[in-house]
Amino acid sequence: MATENSKDVCDSPLEAASSPEPVGVRHSPPRAPPRRQFNTMFGVVVDAHDNKSIDFGSGESPYHRRMRLKLEAVEKSEAALASQNSTGKNKTEAGIESPANDSSACSSASTGNLERSPTDEEKQAAEEKLEVEEILEVVMDAHGAPVSEVVTVQHVKGVVAEPFKTKSAQNRLLLKGGQVVNDDLMVQADVYIEDGIIRQVGSDLVIPGGTRSIDCRGKLVMPGGIDTHTHMELPFMGTKSVDDFYWGTRAALAGGTTMIMDFVLDSKGVLPLEAYNKWREKADPKVCCDYALHMAITWWSDKVKEEMAVICKEKGINSFKVFTAYKDVFMLRDDELLKVFAACKELGSLAQVHAENGDVIAENCKKLLALGITGPEGHYMARSEEVEEEATHRCIMLANQVNCPLYVVHVMSKGAADSIRRARSKGAVVWGEPIAAGLGTDGTHHFNSCWRHAAGHVMGPTLKEDPSTPGYLMDLLANGDLECTGSDNCTFNADQKALGKDDFTKIPNGVNGVEDRMSVIWEKGVHSGKMDPCRFVAVTSTNAAKLFNIYPRKGRIAVGSDADVVIWDPTAMRTISAATHHQKVDFNIFEGMTCHGVPKIVIANGRVVLEEKELHVTQGAGRYIPTPCFSQYVYNRIQCRDVSRAPKKVEREPYDGAIVEIKMDDKKGSVENPITASRDSMFHSRPPTRGGGRNMHDSGFSISGNQIDDNKPQQAHNRHIQPPGGRSSGGLW
């Protein structure tokens, strides 16, 4: 960011520092780098004599620190040498002579001692001193982001993301000539990356020699995508999703996504900590990119609540998902939902919900199977749009009762999206997440004559048959009524889907999307003119980073942010196909879709992983990223509402008027309640006659089986001599 009018100003205090010079050895202090003025800011040109980078630190620069520690190490070595020389001189004065025939050797040894290199122990001590933490201070020029922005990373107790380690020597990149796109601005700038971190953003950057330069002219330089919703190698419906953490993250990088957020989703009865450990053991050795986790709560108990706190505070998970679908498997009752939402609020976490009415779906499935409808179309028929809409509205209402923020996953219908839009317009703290499948295709495929094709689109909630639904959801996403996007990537091959060939309720639910999400949203959103590139960055990356409290480490091109970068070519085109995608699944729901907008180069943690359509990934290279609780983006409003909307008692004068006397029933010893029906009212609904008798139009029959004379003793058999109507003279009687 050097400018033509930059000028040298006062030198560093290091120049004025004096260091002792032992006899016979002269050490020149290192030449301090000049300080240059950039508009109203000053920056030290670090290692400028060696063509190194600029550091805008306000205190001691890394260069000064390294030089000072080196001098201290040399001085320590010289002090030890001086001590040894002094000891030798004392021995000579005491009468201990050196060998007479070895005076030259003695002279040589003396000279060697004065010029000796530091010992291994001294070198190690100096290296340990160099392991200091650098605080990166973001300073952008007048054409960039705010003048000063400090990048802070919150840490979770016991869980800290390890520094990215790579076997490649490539650790310095210069992205030159591109258009940097963040969620709030676009600016022409260069980006310098070193050791997996963005170090400089601006123009005319001073960089080290040997840095690889990548030409980005005509391209967009954007933050890598964050997929908020994946299910890698998920055990589900008797099988396991075919894209595991290696294949899934590999495909994600190929599409421009540099971080995924997977769901810990174990069977009912498994405690959260046990499930968390299972997912870490599966993911850590395989992931090719960074990842975080959500936790699903599929049953409720005091022990579950207790472990939720541990998950938040020690394991780095700040979001919990509940289900109103999958009856008898994952579904919670309304009273359990309230308890989960209250616990999330207390912990500062974000509640998530899969919103469908599981009771209605279960009944619909029974009816359809009884009618002989067993194909994939039955899956769609059992889940009408109002099933999702009702559950979405109900969960928003329940969360609002305890002032808990809510995140509705995979919003698939107009009705559900409208429920979120209306609630937000009334001030509810709720966000909606459409997914690539719902934005890119529709539910008409359920009625395809090819069983495999139809079954390949089976997921929950279902894709909707109305072909205008994807465009409607994209409109709400572009306008801010929906927040961010995931893929709900949960893939099953043809032989796995065939588990439900005779019963649609046994077809494993799930589709692809982790690789194609970015391209589909660009095609349907930006290329169609519904959103600009800044909004694209927001819904594919930045908003997710803010919601889950990892911003600006993720989701932004800024000094100090992780070097997860996508160089996007808005003019390039590609056609999606299962034959060419990088996923392990044998089917693609976007088959044949042509997309304008392609990731040309993908950089994950400062390393190029996609270039010239070739992937260069390393299994296990990704890191687990903890997500701290109490995200400001989520909880600022919640905390204010706790104060402003707290229930308040109305102060009034005590009532001193008359109070009605309540009559007690002496026989039963209870209060007469006119609302509760007496036993007689079970049989007689008509009022008595004027004479007080029973109205003969009333029946003495009760549907419950009780009769009006049940409590009367039965009479003995009586023979009637005179039957009704009088005695007959014939032989009938």
Side-chain angles (χ1 to χ4, degrees):
M1 293 187 297
T3 56
E4 294 180 358
N5 60 351
S6 62
K7 57 183 179 181
D8 292 343
V9 292
C10 59
D11 290 330
S12 167
L14 186 63
E15 281 190 327
S18 60
S19 59
E21 297 185 0
V23 178
V25 180
R26 181 177 181 83
H27 293 281
S28 299
R31 188 168 39 161
R35 288 174 60 82
R36 289 181 176 273
Q37 182 175 358
F38 299 87
N39 298 329
T40 59
M41 299 174 290
F42 292 92
V44 177
V45 184
V46 180
D47 291 352
H49 313 294
D50 299 324
N51 190 28
K52 293 294 177 71
S53 59
I54 297 178
D55 175 44
F56 288 95
S58 58
E60 183 181 32
S61 71
Y63 174 84
H64 291 142
R65 184 161 51 252
R66 290 197 300 272
M67 293 301 101
R68 174 174 56 77
L69 293 176
K70 287 180 181 179
L71 282 176
E72 289 176 358
V74 173
E75 289 170 3
K76 181 178 178 181
S77 174
E78 292 169 350
L81 176 61
S83 176
Q84 293 175 4
N85 291 341
S86 176
T87 303
K89 182 178 180 182
N90 291 338
K91 288 182 179 181
T92 302
E93 292 175 350
I96 302 175
E97 298 182 358
S98 301
N101 61 348
D102 199 17
S103 59
S104 60
C106 180
S107 175
S108 174
S110 176
T111 305
N113 284 337
L114 287 173
E115 298 178 353
R116 73 177 182 86
S117 301
T119 63
D120 293 340
E121 292 77 11
E122 292 167 348
K123 289 180 179 179
Q124 182 177 357
E127 290 174 357
E128 290 175 354
K129 289 183 179 181
L130 292 175
E131 293 177 0
V132 295
E133 181 181 2
E134 296 184 7
I135 301 176
L136 297 170
E137 187 174 281
V138 178
V139 180
M140 304 289 289
D141 59 13
H143 303 289
V147 173
S148 180
E149 177 184 5
V150 177
V151 176
T152 59
V153 179
Q154 298 186 46
H155 296 287
V156 179
K157 176 183 176 183
V159 182
V160 179
E162 293 294 329
F164 180 73
K165 296 178 179 136
T166 174
K167 298 179 181 179
S168 173
Q170 169 194 286
N171 63 350
R172 292 193 297 269
L173 298 171
L174 176 65
L175 313 182
K176 194 168 182 61
Q179 187 89 350
V180 173
V181 184
N182 281 312
D183 66 311
D184 55 352
L185 82 160
M186 296 175 61
V187 60
Q188 197 81 23
D190 299 338
V191 179
Y192 173 63
I193 296 169
E194 184 174 350
D195 297 330
I197 301 293
I198 297 174
R199 301 293 184 180
Q200 300 180 54
V201 178
S203 58
D204 300 325
L205 304 181
V206 180
I207 60 169
T211 298
R212 180 188 173 187
S213 180
I214 298 177
D215 185 5
C216 300
R217 288 176 297 179
K219 310 294 189 300
L220 304 178
V221 180
M222 305 186 297
I226 300 175
D227 190 335
T228 55
H229 193 148
T230 67
H231 296 286
M232 304 303 178
E233 56 187 285
L234 173 70
F236 189 51
M237 299 182 75
T239 185
K240 182 184 294 185
S241 58
V242 68
D243 281 322
D244 63 8
F245 280 98
Y246 169 69
W247 284 95
T249 55
R250 178 177 180 269
L253 290 170
T257 292
T258 56
M259 178 177 174
I260 66 166
M261 303 188 76
D262 203 76
F263 283 89
V264 178
L265 179 56
D266 216 324
S267 57
K268 182 175 291 188
V270 178
L271 287 168
L273 282 174
E274 180 184 349
Y276 165 83
N277 291 330
K278 287 182 183 178
W279 253 253
R280 288 296 305 270
E281 290 172 2
K282 290 192 294 185
D284 286 349
K286 297 180 181 179
V287 287
C288 302
C289 67
D290 290 351
Y291 78 104
L293 293 173
H294 309 291
M295 176 65 67
I297 302 298
T298 59
W299 63 293
W300 185 250
S301 70
D302 291 339
K303 184 64 175 177
V304 170
K305 181 179 179 180
E306 179 184 329
E307 291 200 359
M308 283 175 65
V310 179
I311 288 291
C312 283
K313 297 173 183 177
E314 299 182 14
K315 304 303 181 182
I317 296 178
N318 69 358
S319 51
F320 296 91
K321 178 183 179 181
V322 293
F323 291 81
T324 63
Y326 300 113
K327 187 176 181 179
D328 300 327
V329 181
F330 299 142
M331 190 177 92
L332 298 183
R333 302 186 308 270
D334 283 1
D335 62 319
E336 294 172 323
L337 293 175
L338 275 171
K339 292 175 182 177
V340 175
F341 292 159
C344 288
K345 160 70 183 313
E346 181 181 345
L347 294 170
S349 60
L350 180 59
Q352 299 179 304
V353 63
H354 173 138
E356 290 181 289
N357 191 310
D359 288 318
V360 173
I361 292 172
E363 291 301 315
N364 288 343
C365 288
K366 292 177 183 177
K367 290 192 296 184
L368 291 167
L369 289 173
L371 292 172
I373 299 175
T374 60
E377 69 277 7
H379 178 83
Y380 171 80
M381 294 176 183
R383 294 161 172 82
S384 61
E385 182 167 326
E386 60 188 2
V387 167
E388 183 185 358
E389 181 180 2
E390 180 276 331
T392 301
H393 174 77
R394 173 160 48 95
C395 289
I396 294 172
M397 178 273 296
L398 292 173
N400 196 50
Q401 297 304 303
V402 293
N403 196 25
C404 174
L406 185 66
Y407 181 97
V408 183
V409 300
H410 46 44
V411 178
M412 302 294 288
S413 67
K414 292 180 179 180
D418 284 338
S419 294
I420 295 170
R421 177 181 56 80
R422 287 192 299 267
R424 286 170 65 90
S425 68
K426 296 177 182 179
V429 185
V430 58
W431 295 274
E433 169 208 79
I435 61 173
L439 296 168
T441 187
D442 57 57
T444 56
H445 297 276
H446 291 113
F447 301 91
N448 193 286
S449 59
C450 171
W451 187 94
R452 172 64 182 104
H453 182 91
H457 289 77
V458 166
M459 63 175 299
T462 60
L463 295 162
K464 298 303 179 278
E465 187 180 8
D466 182 355
S468 67
T469 297
Y472 187 81
L473 295 177
M474 182 59 74
D475 289 337
L476 296 185
L477 180 66
N479 296 331
D481 294 311
L482 299 176
E483 189 74 3
C484 55
T485 57
S487 66
D488 196 7
N489 192 94
C490 187
T491 52
F492 300 96
N493 281 332
D495 56 346
Q496 295 172 296
K497 291 278 187 178
L499 290 170
K501 66 183 181 64
D502 299 318
D503 182 349
F504 66 83
T505 64
K506 297 179 181 179
I507 300 174
N509 291 192
V511 298
N512 64 288
V514 70
E515 179 175 353
D516 302 317
R517 179 183 66 106
M518 301 275 282
S519 290
V520 168
I521 296 172
W522 183 275
E523 175 68 20
K524 302 295 184 179
V526 181
H527 185 71
S528 68
K530 293 188 175 185
M531 66 173 66
D532 66 356
C534 289
R535 181 62 185 170
F536 174 80
V537 168
V539 301
T540 58
S541 181
T542 305
N543 289 352
K546 291 178 179 179
L547 279 167
F548 298 103
N549 211 11
I550 51 176
Y551 179 86
R553 177 182 182 180
K554 303 287 186 181
R556 189 164 186 86
I557 302 294
V559 177
S561 298
D562 284 358
D564 293 339
V565 182
V566 177
I567 300 173
W568 193 267
D569 188 347
T571 62
M573 299 170 59
R574 75 180 183 99
T575 300
I576 299 175
S577 174
T580 56
H581 70 202
H582 296 81
Q583 297 187 239
K584 196 173 183 180
V585 67
D586 59 4
F587 186 81
N588 195 308
I589 60 171
F590 307 112
E591 187 73 34
M593 179 186 295
T594 299
C595 293
H596 301 76
V598 175
K600 299 298 288 186
I601 295 177
V602 177
I603 300 167
N605 285 302
R607 191 167 63 98
V608 175
V609 293
L610 175 71
E611 187 175 18
E612 301 295 335
K613 300 182 181 180
E614 294 291 332
L615 273 173
H616 310 281
V617 299
T618 302
Q619 184 168 298
R623 302 168 297 177
Y624 173 67
I625 305 297
T627 54
C629 291
F630 290 104
S631 166
Q632 292 184 1
Y633 190 73
V634 174
Y635 268 87
N636 274 355
R637 284 188 291 167
I638 294 294
Q639 291 167 341
C640 291
R641 291 178 185 207
D642 281 341
V643 177
S644 64
R645 299 185 180 184
K648 296 179 181 179
K649 178 182 177 180
V650 177
E651 299 295 338
R652 57 171 64 91
E653 293 294 327
Y655 176 77
D656 57 0
I659 302 175
V660 68
E661 182 180 354
I662 299 177
K663 296 180 180 180
M664 303 294 293
D665 186 344
D666 294 335
K667 295 181 180 179
K668 298 181 180 179
S670 60
V671 179
E672 291 182 356
N673 189 346
I675 299 176
T676 303
S678 66
R679 185 175 183 276
D680 290 342
S681 67
M682 294 171 58
F683 303 97
H684 305 305
S685 59
R686 297 175 183 269
T689 63
R690 289 183 180 182
R694 181 170 70 86
N695 194 312
M696 298 306 293
H697 291 283
D698 252 355
S699 171
F701 172 77
S702 171
I703 280 206
S704 68
N706 298 327
Q707 302 304 318
I708 194 169
D709 58 355
D710 282 349
N711 294 332
K712 294 181 181 180
Q714 293 185 357
Q715 297 180 357
H717 175 72
N718 293 326
R719 182 177 181 182
H720 294 274
I721 303 300
Q722 295 292 339
R727 184 174 183 178
S728 174
S729 59
L732 180 63
W733 296 96

